[in-house]
Amino acid sequence: MKRETIRKRIRENPAYLKAGILLAVSAVCFIGVYIWDNSRRIETNSQGEKILERPEEGEDRTHGMHVKIGDREEDITVSVSGRQYNDEERRQAFKEAEQKIGTLILGENESLDEVRCNLDLITEIPDTGISVSWQADRYDVIDAQGHLQEEKLTEEGTVVKLTAVFGYAGEKASCEFYIKVFPPLRSNDEKLMEDLEDSVIRSDEQTKTENYMVLPDSVDGEKIHWDYGKNTRAAAILILGTGAAFMLVISDSQRKKEEEKKSARQMKLDYPKIINKFNLYIRAGMTIRRAWFLIAQDYEKKCGEKNRRKAYEEMVRTMHQIQGGIPEGECYEKYGIRCEISAYRKFGTMLAQNLRKGSGGLTELLTREAEDAFEDRKNLAKKLGEEAGTKLMIPLFLMLIVVFAIVIIPAFLSIKL
């Protein structure tokens, strides 16, 4: 019975199945990691001493260890540095570095006998811990980073002596070799544009004392046609204008939505006041029309241009419609429709029906409506308070993130794996 119930719940809500799978995977991973972490044992050498394996030519490795000294137990961290070469291994490593250094620095070149691109003058031989520094006898042709100085290169090629200085644990060794550097290979179009630039520069130098500069009419036998480049400012203005217009439309639409939302909230807050005033006047023996006019006229006297409220504005409009001869019941129903809120529609319909059927029982209806409106206002106030609290949580969360970043980032940076 229980299995059927469980299967039924899984079919109805697949999230249970996903949660179960995740829980099972977590349990398996927990068991595997726990067994691995607790199955390791300290190794011993041939003399029976406790040992920790030293990493081969790597960075320092740390181990979390648990020690017991007498009656005291403590968790400590033990750092084990990478193993260094002995003298024979170091000499062999230097020799192997000399043999492959020429291949390691080629970069995009095919051979050191024809260097036309920047060299990759590495600072360390990979996987050995041997550092490399460089010296050249022609820094006007190639710098210490291996970048070619193109203005000094010739088509005949320039021979440069490079010296690689190897360093390891305070010991040094060096090797020398020669490279031949040529200008980079360029296509016909690239060469044509370079010649054009040179021609323009020469023309500028020759006419510096004139009021104008003469543009060359040909280069390498090719005719040149000059014109001003196309300016994209007009297109930029059009794009910016279109974007600004689009943003203006979006902003205006958003503003209208916010105004409508604010107006609806304001009308909901005004509704209990209107109902209570109306109920008070009806209980005092006034007619529906007289009570309506008193509320509308009182609003007209007290409101200013900056304090207009839609519910009362629509009451004033309804008063003027009644004064203009439109049937009273029809005006009340239209009032509720224009307000676009269910409570006002109910209010307008209730008044119109009482005009047609007689005003008996109107006070009881208004009393119940006032009580409901008061409850709705309390709920609305509570909702607005919750929204305000939620908005206040946003800066608090941002501050919490900043605090976490200040605490956690330095901690991660201080960890040495």
Side-chain angles (χ1 to χ4, degrees):
M1 186 67 180
K2 291 183 178 179
R3 291 182 179 178
E4 293 179 358
T5 304
I6 293 173
R7 290 173 181 173
K8 182 178 180 182
R9 288 185 177 179
I10 291 175
R11 285 196 300 270
E12 292 176 352
N13 192 348
Y16 287 149
L17 179 60
K18 295 179 182 178
I21 294 173
L22 180 60
L23 184 61
V25 171
S26 301
V28 171
C29 292
F30 165 78
I31 294 171
V33 173
Y34 181 83
I35 293 174
W36 170 259
D37 288 342
N38 291 276
S39 63
R40 293 182 298 171
R41 295 291 183 270
I42 301 295
E43 297 181 6
T44 58
N45 59 11
S46 58
Q47 287 78 31
E49 299 170 325
K50 304 290 185 182
I51 63 172
L52 290 177
E53 290 291 338
R54 191 179 297 279
E56 291 288 338
E57 293 305 324
E59 297 182 358
D60 294 353
R61 182 182 300 170
T62 58
H63 298 274
M65 309 294 291
H66 182 79
V67 297
K68 183 177 181 181
I69 305 175
D71 296 332
R72 182 178 178 181
E73 296 187 17
E74 194 77 32
D75 289 326
I76 65 171
T77 299
V78 176
S79 178
V80 182
S81 58
R83 193 182 78 84
Q84 293 186 353
Y85 294 135
N86 56 34
D87 292 343
E88 181 62 29
E89 290 173 336
R90 185 181 65 252
R91 286 192 291 270
Q92 183 63 28
F94 282 161
K95 185 177 180 180
E96 292 176 357
E98 292 181 13
Q99 294 174 352
K100 61 183 180 181
I101 189 67
T103 304
L104 294 175
I105 67 172
L106 278 175
E108 298 180 2
N109 299 285
E110 295 183 359
S111 169
L112 294 179
D113 294 329
E114 185 180 353
V115 176
R116 294 184 180 272
C117 302
N118 294 335
L119 293 176
D120 183 15
L121 298 185
I122 58 177
T123 59
E124 185 177 359
I125 305 298
D127 303 323
T128 63
I130 299 176
S131 63
V132 186
S133 59
W134 296 91
Q135 298 173 2
D137 66 342
R138 292 289 302 272
Y139 285 108
D140 59 330
V141 175
I142 184 170
D143 63 15
Q145 287 74 41
H147 299 156
L148 305 184
Q149 310 299 313
E150 296 184 16
E151 62 275 7
K152 296 293 184 179
L153 302 181
T154 62
E155 292 295 340
E156 294 78 18
T158 305
V159 177
V160 179
K161 182 176 75 172
L162 284 180
T163 302
V165 180
F166 304 118
Y168 181 86
E171 299 293 331
K172 292 185 180 295
S174 64
C175 70
E176 298 177 353
F177 50 92
Y178 292 87
I179 63 173
K180 196 167 186 179
V181 184
F182 294 86
L185 292 175
R186 289 180 173 82
S187 64
N188 292 334
D189 290 341
E190 290 175 339
K191 188 174 184 303
L192 186 66
M193 294 308 297
E194 282 189 2
D195 292 343
L196 175 60
E197 291 178 2
D198 293 339
S199 179
V200 170
I201 292 172
R202 287 195 302 272
S203 179
D204 182 42
E205 291 291 334
Q206 294 169 0
T207 58
K208 278 191 173 181
T209 59
E210 304 292 339
N211 295 329
Y212 53 83
M213 184 188 80
V214 177
L215 295 173
D217 56 2
S218 64
V219 61
D220 295 345
E222 297 286 340
K223 188 73 174 177
I224 302 176
H225 299 279
W226 293 96
D227 200 354
Y228 282 106
K230 294 182 179 179
N231 203 312
T232 59
R233 289 183 299 176
I237 292 173
L238 177 62
I239 293 172
L240 290 175
T242 303
F246 180 75
M247 293 301 297
L248 185 63
V249 171
I250 297 296
S251 175
D252 185 65
S253 175
Q254 189 66 26
R255 180 182 58 81
K256 287 181 178 179
K257 288 181 180 179
E258 289 295 328
E259 289 179 354
E260 291 174 359
K261 185 178 178 181
K262 182 179 178 181
S263 176
R265 187 187 301 120
Q266 188 183 75
M267 291 177 70
K268 290 178 181 178
L269 293 173
D270 288 338
Y271 184 67
K273 297 179 183 178
I274 294 173
I275 287 294
N276 283 322
K277 283 184 181 181
F278 204 87
N279 188 26
L280 180 63
Y281 290 149
I282 294 298
R283 284 179 176 274
M286 295 183 184
T287 62
I288 294 176
R289 177 171 179 164
R290 179 60 181 162
W292 191 282
F293 281 23
L294 278 176
I295 296 174
Q297 290 168 357
D298 183 59
Y299 167 75
E300 280 188 313
K301 291 177 183 178
K302 294 180 180 179
C303 89
E305 286 294 331
K306 295 183 179 180
N307 297 318
R308 295 191 176 277
R309 308 178 81 84
K310 184 176 178 180
Y312 289 99
E313 290 289 330
E314 293 297 339
M315 289 189 75
V316 173
R317 180 179 175 183
T318 300
M319 179 182 69
H320 293 320
Q321 288 177 342
I322 294 172
Q323 291 173 341
I326 299 176
E328 191 174 341
E330 181 182 340
C331 292
Y332 294 144
E333 289 180 341
K334 289 183 177 179
Y335 168 78
I337 294 172
R338 288 197 303 271
C339 289
E340 298 179 343
I341 294 178
S342 59
Y344 285 93
R345 283 195 291 269
K346 181 180 178 182
F347 179 47
T349 302
M350 180 173 59
L351 296 181
Q353 288 178 351
N354 274 270
L355 282 176
R356 289 193 292 268
K357 298 177 182 179
S359 59
L362 179 59
T363 54
E364 289 78 7
L365 291 174
L366 290 173
T367 301
R368 286 199 299 271
E369 186 65 20
E371 292 174 354
D372 294 341
F374 182 69
E375 288 297 325
D376 290 340
R377 177 165 181 173
K378 286 199 299 184
N379 293 333
L380 179 60
K382 186 184 297 184
K383 181 180 178 182
L384 293 176
E386 292 172 354
E387 290 178 357
T390 303
K391 290 179 181 178
L392 289 174
M393 290 298 291
I394 295 175
L396 292 178
F397 275 119
L398 293 177
M399 293 173 63
L400 182 62
I401 292 172
V402 172
V403 171
F404 275 135
I406 293 173
V407 174
I408 294 174
I409 291 176
F412 273 112
L413 294 177
S414 65
I415 295 175
K416 293 183 178 179
L417 299 178

